[in-house]
Amino acid sequence: MKVLFLACLSPQTGNHTTAERIRSHIESAGHTCELRDAAEFQSPAEVANLVSQNPPFEAALAIHLFKAGRLLLDIQVPFGVIFGGTDINEDVKVKQKRVVMEQVLLKARFAVAFTDKLKEEAEIFLLSQSSKICVQPQGIQTQVTDTFCWTEFLRSSGVSTEHLDELRVFLLVCGLRRVKDPLYLVKVFSEWHCENPLNALIIIGPKKEVISRPAAAAASVLLQPLLILCLLSKWKLLFKAGVFLAQERSQQELHAAMKRCFAMVNSSISEGMSAAILEAMDLGVPVLARDIPGNSAVVQHKFTGLLYSSPQEFVHQSQRLLSDHELREKVVRNGKLYVEEHHSLKQERETYQRLVDILH
């Protein structure tokens, strides 16, 4: 069967990684799966024309009900959808988008939610039958490159200190966009760094959009011009006070950087299911995640990671992680066990292969 798969494919993003992994599951069952960036298309009519080309596509799949799913409304072949996270957490709040997403869900043969919470939210906000939505957590597989150099990574990110081996690096993995809120911790971390220069925050990820003025206003007046400089520069030093911006890396290099850092940080406003959090757990790295539904669905506070609800609480939890070695060992051990038990790549593959069979 020839399957069209639409997703948001910005390079070096979780969405791209997830889409490539699911595509491989489909193709391993003997199907042909063509992965295309939803941003390539302006209307459902364009996708309908693509689907009907010779030889025609026989089925379709999309990640994100609005950004990609709406483009499937005019096609004459069966399709399924995968919730992206921001579609259910954010886009449903906009009436015009919600109406479109209800149409997509009504026409889809099936829908996939990464968590039970995401399924519950979809059932509350969208007109859907519960039996159409299945829950399949993301499958996780990490791989660390042998050629990664930690010292070079730090220096290329602008970190300059004689005590690189003593440095405690907190790694914030995210695209530079509003929903990831990369500025959320900048002010308080800079203040903390001034008290203890060995603590550093490195933000790594692709620049996907210019951060909005409201987000910039959340930082101090001093930080705003530096933020603008960051967005316009070619990945140079972000802030002088302990916060740095690293150039995006390949998945294997990113995993290598994760494995060397003191803790992995998530500061998102909204998440469907953060692959970066799960990858950090799999790599044996403690996670400090903002307490939002998508994160609390996978991070159990003080058991598989630490949750925080404010920048000040982030510093408090970080200090606990620094001083309480038993707590650190506990969350690392339990986090890795959680990923092994609940985010099996084999189970994910079997689920998508079964769902694609429904599209026959």
Side-chain angles (χ1 to χ4, degrees):
M1 182 167 64
K2 186 179 179 183
V3 181
L4 174 65
F5 190 3
L6 296 184
C8 300
L9 299 180
S10 298
Q12 315 297 343
T13 60
N15 273 346
H16 199 160
T17 301
T18 298
E20 286 285 4
R21 192 177 64 251
I22 294 172
R23 179 195 60 76
S24 71
H25 295 335
I26 295 170
E27 292 198 330
S28 67
H31 303 295
T32 299
C33 185
E34 185 173 323
L35 182 58
R36 299 286 292 270
D37 190 348
E40 294 179 27
F41 306 98
Q42 300 299 315
S43 69
E46 290 183 22
V47 176
N49 289 334
L50 174 64
V51 168
S52 62
Q53 70 180 11
N54 193 22
F57 286 91
E58 301 163 84
L61 189 63
I63 298 180
H64 201 286
L65 272 181
F66 186 76
K67 291 179 180 177
R70 65 183 178 85
L71 296 169
L72 302 181
L73 284 173
D74 287 355
I75 66 174
Q76 301 303 311
V77 298
F79 67 85
V81 291
I82 303 165
F83 300 150
T86 54
D87 44 7
I88 305 302
N89 293 329
E90 302 294 327
D91 291 340
V92 291
K93 300 171 186 176
V94 181
K95 183 178 179 180
Q96 295 89 336
K97 291 184 178 180
R98 186 171 66 250
V99 169
V100 172
M101 290 192 293
E102 286 174 350
Q103 293 173 351
V104 173
L105 202 51
L106 187 64
K107 190 174 179 182
R109 289 280 182 90
F110 64 81
V112 179
F114 293 143
T115 65
D116 291 317
K117 181 65 175 177
L118 208 59
K119 178 181 178 180
E120 291 169 9
E121 292 294 310
E123 291 169 347
I124 291 171
F125 291 106
L126 300 172
L127 302 176
S128 64
Q129 296 178 344
S130 179
S131 60
K132 184 177 284 189
I133 306 173
C134 75
V135 177
Q136 173 56 56
Q138 293 206 62
I140 294 300
Q141 184 178 43
T142 56
Q143 190 173 4
V144 175
T145 178
D146 295 331
T147 59
F148 180 78
C149 177
W150 178 242
T151 302
E152 183 277 329
F153 171 75
L154 293 176
R155 287 178 177 160
S156 68
S157 302
V159 181
S160 179
T161 176
E162 296 177 356
H163 307 285
L164 288 180
D165 292 337
E166 300 174 42
L167 205 63
R168 292 182 289 263
V169 174
F170 293 75
L171 193 65
L172 173 56
V173 180
C174 69
L176 296 187
R177 53 193 183 114
R178 183 194 63 82
V179 74
K180 299 299 182 181
D181 208 2
L183 288 183
Y184 186 62
L185 301 172
V186 164
K187 185 175 184 294
V188 71
F189 200 100
S190 296
E191 293 169 352
W192 188 34
H193 169 80
C194 290
E195 296 173 10
N196 191 333
L198 291 178
N199 298 325
L201 176 65
I202 296 181
I203 303 171
I204 182 168
K207 183 177 72 173
K208 296 192 67 178
E209 63 187 44
V210 175
I211 300 172
S212 63
R213 288 186 178 181
S220 68
V221 174
L222 173 63
L223 296 179
Q224 290 184 35
L226 289 170
L227 169 66
I228 295 169
L229 178 63
C230 148
L231 292 173
L232 296 179
S233 70
K234 293 184 178 179
W235 311 103
K236 298 297 183 182
L237 177 66
L238 176 56
F239 301 112
K240 294 182 179 179
V243 183
F244 306 87
L245 186 66
Q247 182 178 0
E248 59 194 273
R249 301 287 183 121
S250 69
Q251 191 75 357
Q252 291 184 5
E253 289 175 320
L254 177 60
H255 289 165
M258 276 188 190
K259 196 169 180 65
R260 288 296 304 268
C261 73
F262 177 78
M264 212 288 292
V265 180
N266 178 288
S267 62
S268 298
I269 296 170
S270 173
E271 287 281 5
M273 175 176 283
S274 170
I277 285 178
L278 297 171
E279 288 163 355
M281 288 179 176
D282 189 54
L283 290 165
V285 178
V287 171
L288 287 153
R290 193 169 178 173
D291 193 357
I292 57 173
N295 288 343
S296 60
V298 296
V299 178
Q300 185 177 346
H301 186 53
K302 295 193 292 187
F303 188 74
T304 59
L306 296 174
L307 296 170
Y308 63 90
S309 300
S310 68
Q312 293 72 27
E313 190 179 0
F314 165 80
V315 173
H316 172 68
Q317 298 298 347
S318 297
Q319 289 171 332
R320 290 185 63 186
L321 202 58
L322 284 164
S323 62
D324 191 337
H325 298 295
E326 287 186 10
L327 175 63
R328 179 183 174 86
E329 291 176 2
K330 176 183 176 181
V331 297
V332 165
R333 180 176 62 252
N334 291 332
K336 188 166 182 62
L337 286 173
Y338 169 79
V339 171
E340 290 174 354
E341 292 175 7
H342 299 281
H343 296 275
S344 160
L345 197 67
K346 179 176 180 291
Q347 179 61 53
E348 183 187 53
R349 182 183 302 112
E350 292 173 354
T351 296
Y352 282 103
Q353 290 177 350
R354 174 176 55 81
L355 289 172
V356 168
D357 285 341
I358 297 175
L359 300 179
H360 263 299

